[in-house]
Amino acid sequence: MGLLPASWSPMAPACVLGVCSLLWTWAAVTGHPCSINSQGRANCNGKNLLYAPSSLPRNITSLDLSFNSLVMPSHGTLLMHFPSLHSLNLSSNALFTLYPAIFSNLSALRLLDVSSCSISYLHTEAFKGLVNLHTLLLKNNNLQELEVSLFLPLEALFHLDLQNNALISMDTLVLQLMEAVPHVQLEGNPWVCDCTAYPLQKWLQHRKAVQVTCASPPELWGQDITALDFQDLGCKKKQRFPRADNMTLPLITTTQNNTTTPPAGKGGRSWPYLVGFLVAAISISILVALAAKCKLFHKNFASYRHRPLPDTSSIGGSHMEEGTSWDRDTSGRGDSESHPMPGAAGLHTEDDDGFIEDNYIQPSEQLQEEEERESHLSV
């Protein structure tokens, strides 16, 4: 057993480990221009890269790809799977558009910087899969509007930076979703201070945010939105917008693959008016039908209202008795003709043409006349 040389120190094992670590790092970064420190932070800043290096180790915790010429894929993800990546800096790349699920394989990501990327459009599922994202930096872009479903996957979002974009107004539902984000920055946008800005004003007053100023109309340029009156915003009367803490979220369904169904658009709000119109139309139709039925009923009821026939005792006998009087002898007929019946003037006279129908002559009368005629001839 030989003795250790006098020059050997207790720090020698640490140096050996440091040399091995550097050699491993050098081997890992061979083939790409990025530098990786001992904490797993990869710096690819300003390397004129078109795509993220594919040879980066999977266990890196931070990746800086700022000031490059990255090309965003329209399908699939931007980076390979990095289960330990917590910070991603893509600032100062001409990205223009963030396509759906482009960061979906970075579930551990906590900071995403896409500022100064000339972004004018964000797909509604651009941030799909970023359930642990804490900070989202979108400043110095060209965003003109924000979709409601854009922030639905960002359940852990704490800081949202939207400074210096092209936002002119903010939807009430977007403000409601941003109410769950403690720190929101909206300065430097060309806000239009008209009546549509009233929800934003109330939201800012409730949040006690930093000063957000108007860009138009010219007479309100540079004024703090929260300090304006509703009349200054051009509202004819004070609007009643729901407060952000009292507003109810639309129904949002989430499936097992983290796909979200966005809430219905504004067109879905018209169904109560349609139902009311149908109910009113049906009610009016029923009333018209009832009115017509009532009118027809009165008409038919009036047609059946006849006067009762006069009593036979008041007019000295019925028409039947007048018909049977022909069975009596001729003296009886003469008396009845010479003495009209009392009360007969009050009756409606029947049509009488002066002739007696044959069916009123009884057979007994015909036989009597024939016998008288034969006896006269014989005399």
Side-chain angles (χ1 to χ4, degrees):
M1 300 286 299
L3 299 176
L4 292 173
S7 61
W8 183 266
S9 64
M11 297 296 295
C15 294
V16 173
L17 291 177
V19 171
C20 292
S21 177
L22 290 175
L23 291 175
W24 176 85
T25 303
W26 176 257
V29 301
T30 302
H32 59 74
C34 304
S35 60
I36 303 176
N37 61 12
S38 59
Q39 298 178 350
R41 296 179 178 176
N43 185 6
C44 305
N45 176 284
K47 303 299 182 180
N48 200 27
L49 298 175
L50 295 177
Y51 303 97
S54 58
S55 57
L56 290 172
R58 289 168 53 89
N59 60 346
I60 60 174
T61 59
S62 177
L63 177 59
D64 186 356
L65 289 170
S66 60
F67 293 96
N68 281 284
S69 302
L70 296 179
V71 177
M72 298 295 288
S74 57
H75 301 284
T77 58
L78 176 65
L79 302 172
M80 59 179 293
H81 183 60
F82 292 101
S84 303
L85 189 63
H86 291 166
S87 175
L88 176 61
N89 186 357
L90 299 175
S91 62
S92 300
N93 283 277
L95 303 181
F96 301 109
T97 299
L98 293 185
Y99 294 100
I102 198 169
F103 307 112
S104 60
N105 57 345
L106 305 176
S107 59
L109 195 66
R110 292 182 56 82
L111 186 149
L112 176 61
D113 188 354
V114 284
S115 57
S116 303
C117 290
S118 303
I119 299 175
S120 58
Y121 176 71
L122 294 172
H123 193 274
T124 55
E125 295 185 351
F127 303 126
K128 178 182 177 181
L130 299 180
V131 293
N132 294 309
L133 191 66
H134 180 274
T135 302
L136 177 59
L137 305 179
L138 285 165
K139 62 182 179 180
N140 301 324
N141 283 293
N142 299 321
L143 295 174
Q144 298 182 1
E145 61 179 355
L146 300 174
E147 297 290 339
V148 175
S149 57
L150 186 67
F151 302 101
L152 296 179
L154 306 178
E155 301 174 358
L157 191 62
F158 182 86
H159 181 198
L160 176 62
D161 191 347
L162 291 168
Q163 296 181 88
N164 302 318
N165 276 275
L167 299 171
I168 61 175
S169 63
M170 194 72 70
D171 187 82
T172 306
L173 290 177
V174 175
L175 292 173
Q176 177 188 357
L177 291 174
M178 290 197 306
E179 183 67 20
V181 183
H183 190 201
V184 180
Q185 294 176 275
L186 298 174
E187 302 88 351
N189 287 280
W191 300 108
V192 176
C193 293
D194 55 11
C195 196
T196 60
Y198 188 76
L200 176 62
Q201 182 193 52
K202 291 302 178 184
W203 186 86
L204 292 172
Q205 291 174 350
H206 176 68
R207 294 292 297 266
K208 298 179 181 179
V210 295
Q211 187 178 25
V212 177
T213 58
C214 303
S216 63
E219 60 270 16
L220 297 178
W221 183 87
Q223 296 191 30
D224 187 1
I225 295 180
T226 59
L228 298 176
D229 191 12
F230 73 96
Q231 294 178 348
D232 297 329
L233 295 175
C235 300
K236 294 182 180 180
K237 60 180 180 179
K238 196 169 184 178
Q239 304 291 328
R240 296 187 62 184
F241 291 95
R243 289 180 56 184
D245 53 353
N246 293 330
M247 291 186 293
T248 57
L249 275 170
L251 181 61
I252 299 166
T253 57
T254 306
T255 57
Q256 294 181 354
N257 56 357
N258 292 330
T259 58
T260 56
T261 302
K266 295 181 180 179
R269 300 178 187 176
S270 61
W271 69 266
Y273 301 100
L274 178 59
V275 173
F277 175 77
L278 291 176
V279 170
I282 293 173
S283 301
I284 293 174
S285 301
I286 293 174
L287 291 176
V288 171
L290 289 176
K293 286 287 185 181
C294 291
K295 185 176 180 181
L296 184 61
F297 173 76
H298 286 298
K299 183 178 179 180
N300 292 335
F301 181 75
S303 65
Y304 282 103
R305 292 180 62 186
H306 297 290
R307 289 183 179 181
L309 291 174
D311 192 4
T312 56
S313 60
S314 62
I315 59 176
S318 62
H319 295 284
M320 185 67 70
E321 293 177 350
E322 293 178 2
T324 55
S325 64
W326 293 101
D327 297 333
R328 301 173 185 173
D329 48 332
T330 55
S331 60
R333 288 199 308 267
D335 294 337
S336 62
E337 289 176 0
S338 60
H339 300 284
M341 290 182 296
L347 297 175
H348 294 285
T349 58
E350 296 180 355
D351 293 336
D352 190 2
D353 53 3
F355 295 94
I356 300 175
E357 295 182 2
D358 294 337
N359 57 355
Y360 285 105
I361 301 176
Q362 299 297 329
S364 60
E365 295 179 357
Q366 293 179 355
L367 293 174
Q368 184 179 1
E369 288 178 359
E370 290 178 357
E371 289 176 355
E372 290 176 358
R373 192 176 301 165
E374 290 176 355
S375 61
H376 180 72
L377 291 175
S378 60
V379 174

